[in-house]
Amino acid sequence: TQLLEQSPQFLSIQEGENLTVYCNSSSVFSSLQWYRQEPGEGPVLLVTVVTGGEVKKLKRLTFQFGDARKDSSLHITAAQTGDTGLYLCAGAPSGTYKYIFGTGTRLKVLA
Amino acid sequence: DVKVTQSSRYLVKRTGEKVFLECVQDMDHENMFWYRQDPGLGLRLIYFSYDVKMKEKGDIPEGYSVSREKKERFSLILESASTNQTSMYLCASSPPGQGFREQYFGPGTRLTVT
């Protein structure tokens, strides 16, 4: 079974702190996407990473794709309460069309 | 901006009822998807469609059917609703040539079957 494991599963931090969440697999992916889902809403696409070692920044969010394209990380600098939500990584393992979602990291940022 | 809309945000139905969930996207996307999301189980694909009148089963198609008569509209049908179909239902679409990546989601329908 091809899985995308995310860690940690839950994270509760104070506003202003930094954090990193991880997305890991034993499979190689041609690309990975990161989504954020706020309570009661659908996931919203944040970014796509394509090249091994690629780093993309979206304001205070930094996304990195592992060199071997089997893992990715999301780093948030100076978290804000508006960053609260469920963070999902997703992708299709190379050679397949099957698109899978990670297990998710539920982030709560406290004021 | 891509906009995916779903017919209802909240729905309460009785066991045995036939339920229709509608999804419309306005970006001329070829691919459309229906997922359900449950605590601890994540997002699970029910059905997807890559063209009008074309459909493919996802991971959990049992108890569901779909219809795609027009490119912009993808309907999910629960033939005879059961309590284990209580869930958050999410519709998504993605543009062609993306291999189903970069999906754009609707706001979801929270369905309760009593």
Side-chain angles (χ1 to χ4, degrees):
Chain A
T1 304
Q2 294 158 327
L3 289 175
L4 278 169
E5 300 275 358
Q6 290 185 243
S7 61
Q9 193 175 354
F10 299 97
L11 191 54
S12 181
I13 61 169
Q14 292 294 132
E15 206 169 23
E17 291 184 13
N18 302 333
L19 66 118
T20 302
V21 300
Y22 300 93
C23 172
N24 294 293
S25 177
S26 57
S27 301
V28 175
F29 288 77
S30 56
S31 69
L32 277 178
Q33 286 74 50
W34 283 92
Y35 297 81
R36 178 171 64 216
Q37 183 177 18
E38 296 182 16
E41 300 294 331
V44 174
L45 178 66
L46 296 175
V47 78
T48 292
V49 286
V50 178
T51 308
E54 180 178 7
V55 176
K56 276 193 174 177
K57 292 196 175 191
L58 188 67
K59 296 183 182 177
R60 294 175 295 99
L61 279 59
T62 302
F63 303 86
Q64 185 160 8
F65 202 11
D67 291 341
R69 293 185 290 127
K70 292 184 178 181
D71 56 85
S72 182
S73 64
L74 158 58
H75 181 80
I76 301 179
T77 303
Q80 299 176 357
T81 54
D83 296 327
T84 291
L86 176 68
Y87 288 81
L88 296 162
C89 62
S94 294
T96 78
Y97 71 86
K98 188 171 174 64
Y99 193 73
I100 59 175
F101 283 84
T103 49
T105 292
R106 194 167 294 279
L107 171 67
K108 187 164 188 176
V109 182
L110 304 169
Chain B
D1 279 353
V2 177
K3 196 164 177 77
V4 179
T5 57
Q6 294 184 228
S7 50
S8 305
R9 294 298 301 269
Y10 300 94
L11 210 51
V12 180
K13 295 291 181 181
R14 293 195 180 276
T15 302
E17 280 192 84
K18 192 168 186 174
V19 182
F20 293 86
L21 303 182
E22 303 282 337
C23 174
V24 177
Q25 51 94 3
D26 67 356
M27 282 302 291
D28 203 35
H29 283 175
E30 307 285 341
N31 308 310
M32 296 188 75
F33 310 83
W34 275 107
Y35 295 89
R36 63 177 284 177
Q37 186 176 32
D38 301 286
L41 297 175
L43 276 155
R44 293 181 292 167
L45 181 64
I46 304 171
Y47 268 96
F48 67 96
S49 168
Y50 52 89
D51 203 349
V52 175
K53 296 193 186 293
M54 306 302 288
K55 59 187 180 186
E56 292 283 344
K57 292 179 180 179
D59 298 318
I60 51 163
E62 297 79 19
Y64 304 93
S65 62
V66 290
S67 171
R68 192 158 180 210
E69 297 296 318
K70 293 186 178 181
K71 193 175 186 181
E72 67 270 19
R73 188 179 297 268
F74 192 33
S75 303
L76 179 70
I77 303 144
L78 286 66
E79 297 290 343
S80 177
S82 63
T83 54
N84 64 11
Q85 292 179 309
T86 290
S87 185
M88 172 73 135
Y89 288 88
L90 291 161
C91 174
S93 70
S94 72
Q98 294 291 334
F100 301 161
R101 68 183 188 189
E102 300 196 354
Q103 297 188 14
Y104 296 86
F105 284 83
T109 296
R110 188 163 293 282
L111 173 67
T112 302
V113 182
T114 61

